Amino acid sequence: MALAKLHPDNTVNTADLAKAYPKYKIPFELLTLSLPELSGYTDTLIVLWYLRKAERVRTGAVNVMLIALDENQELSYFIDRNNNQNLADDGSPYLFKEGEQQRQVNIEDRRIGTLSFMLQNLEAAIAAPVQPESLHKDIASVPESPVLTREREAFALHFISSLSSGGGKASLNYREMPRPDSDEEDKKYTYGASYYASFNTTIGVAASLYNFYVGVSGSVEMFEVGEQHLIKEFNKRGEAFRQVQPNTGYWPSKRINLSGFIEYDFLIGSSLRFAPTLSYTRYNFIESHSFVYNGERDINQYFTDRYSYSFGGKIKYSVTEKSLLFFEVFKRYNHFDGSSYFPNIEPETFSMKFNQLYGGIGFQLKLTSLN
């Protein structure tokens, strides 16, 4: 670390820090700072840290800390916890309680991950009038290399497991080819069903590059299917008819999913992160019954091109150094082609819609680092 001068345009130069530790090849930079409200303080001190991984000393980032002294000779520590040179967006400053000697501080950086070090209480150094040299000495008692506690390595493997449930409405419709022996024309069939809920158990693995994840997962899903019906619409002798047949159709209630997904963690605190997610799924129904007709008509054979895609997000909470608990919400759009199942159908008129909104809870465990 090194003390730095704050210039009138709110910039600081890393040159002194880089010259003091040449073996780390610290970049020579002019950092422009956004400062917090300092009207209640009488003096300030700027400290530059070079945060690095103990096992990879050439990977590091410069971080800025501002120490402010108030009229009661008490110190406030403004630490750039997300390392974006903005000291006004990191919440309240660190304040030591009476008798507290040190406190753990976490800093997130998109290049090197999460680092943790022990910040020393400098109150003893200001029993006499503040002298920069004495503060420099006490600050320097903090180990030069921060201890890494929740580091997000460049590469890592993760195990992911979750439970989720989702509901929605499903429908499929098609038109029937005209029959010469029938006086019913323009005949349209619409099957519908209500999916009240599902029980979806998922396990998967993911590889991460800093905060970016790519992974695969498998799940077994069981649905609670409610009301099912068939609506027939047709014209007869120039008059329009509409018939509703309840309890008609046999919508699938079990399936196996195989998914690929991507997500990215945005840091929103020392222990919290938000991860938008996208996924693509192929699935098989775990059922051999027919949808409407009797006989051997395997639903997986006739309901083809089965896939779904989803988007949503997770809120992740760091439980330990290697584990995360997350809550997720996502919307899934399902698709299949059933045009070969129904007789006398105009294939190009087949369409279906089955969208579900899911909520769930899960667990993520870092298995190993790959760097």
Side-chain angles (χ1 to χ4, degrees), residues 114-253:
T114 303
L115 297 102
S116 180
F117 63 92
M118 300 307 297
L119 179 66
Q120 306 298 315
N121 187 350
L122 305 180
E123 295 290 347
I126 60 171
V130 176
Q131 297 295 329
E133 293 77 10
S134 64
L135 284 178
H136 188 291
K137 179 179 178 181
D138 282 276
I139 295 172
S141 67
V142 180
E144 176 190 334
S145 301
V147 178
L148 194 62
T149 60
R150 291 179 185 168
E151 173 195 347
R152 304 295 300 280
E153 287 89 354
F155 292 95
L157 284 178
H158 307 264
F159 170 79
I160 299 173
S161 179
S162 67
L163 296 174
S164 59
S165 180
K169 292 185 177 296
S171 66
L172 65 85
N173 60 75
Y174 63 90
R175 291 186 180 275
E176 187 179 77
M177 295 180 66
R179 296 183 178 182
D181 58 345
S182 175
D183 58 358
E184 296 177 353
E185 300 177 342
D186 197 22
K187 201 167 187 178
K188 179 182 178 181
Y189 291 77
T190 301
Y191 289 90
S194 296
Y195 277 73
Y196 294 135
S198 68
F199 183 71
N200 190 31
T201 59
T202 303
I203 59 173
V205 293
S208 65
L209 174 61
Y210 294 109
N211 293 338
F212 183 75
Y213 292 80
V214 177
V216 295
S217 65
S219 69
V220 176
E221 187 168 11
M222 295 179 289
F223 300 96
E224 180 67 30
V225 185
E227 185 268 340
Q228 304 178 61
H229 63 264
L230 167 62
I231 300 174
K232 294 181 181 179
E233 298 173 279
F234 57 91
N235 295 324
K236 186 175 183 178
R237 300 187 184 94
E239 187 176 354
F241 288 84
R242 186 176 188 270
Q243 299 175 349
V244 179
Q245 298 180 5
N247 302 317
T248 303
Y250 198 162
W251 286 81
S253 60

